[in-house]
Amino acid sequence: MLYTKGIPYHYEELVRLRDCTVAADFKIAVRSENRFVLLEHIGMLGNEDYEKVFVLKFIDYVKSGYVPWRDVFFTFDEGDGNLDTRFLSKLMDKHFL
């Protein structure tokens, strides 16, 4: 969807946080603001180990100064494993163009 909308991005680029380095799902160029934001997709809710890693990663972002929904965005699968593409499209139009 990023590609289709013409939004420049890198996939799984390494990002240095305060105490660790993570591979962000997407590093996205917001041309209108001349900056980058990160997008993390959480796709395996219900998997306890995955959820623990996500919570720790979220905490690392916040402790490193990233502000959720300004500097790092999070998307989630729905309970049945689907992704709300209408929501995702609106998110991109509002924050990434």
Side-chain angles (χ1 to χ4, degrees), residues 29-90:
V30 182
R31 289 184 257 184
S32 63
E33 298 178 11
N34 196 32
R35 69 186 190 106
F36 289 94
V37 298
L38 303 176
L39 173 67
E40 292 284 359
H41 180 71
I42 295 72
M44 293 176 25
L45 291 176
N47 177 313
E48 190 174 326
D49 291 335
Y50 183 88
E51 290 171 355
K52 287 177 183 177
V53 170
F54 162 66
V55 169
L56 293 173
K57 196 174 193 181
F58 180 88
I59 291 168
D60 284 339
Y61 275 124
V62 172
K63 284 183 175 180
S64 298
Y66 286 83
V67 176
W69 301 105
R70 185 192 75 194
D71 304 315
V72 58
F73 292 79
F74 300 93
T75 57
F76 300 85
D77 281 356
E78 296 177 350
D80 59 3
N82 288 321
L83 179 64
D84 184 346
T85 56
R86 289 177 294 174
F87 167 79
L88 191 55
S89 180
K90 288 177 186 177

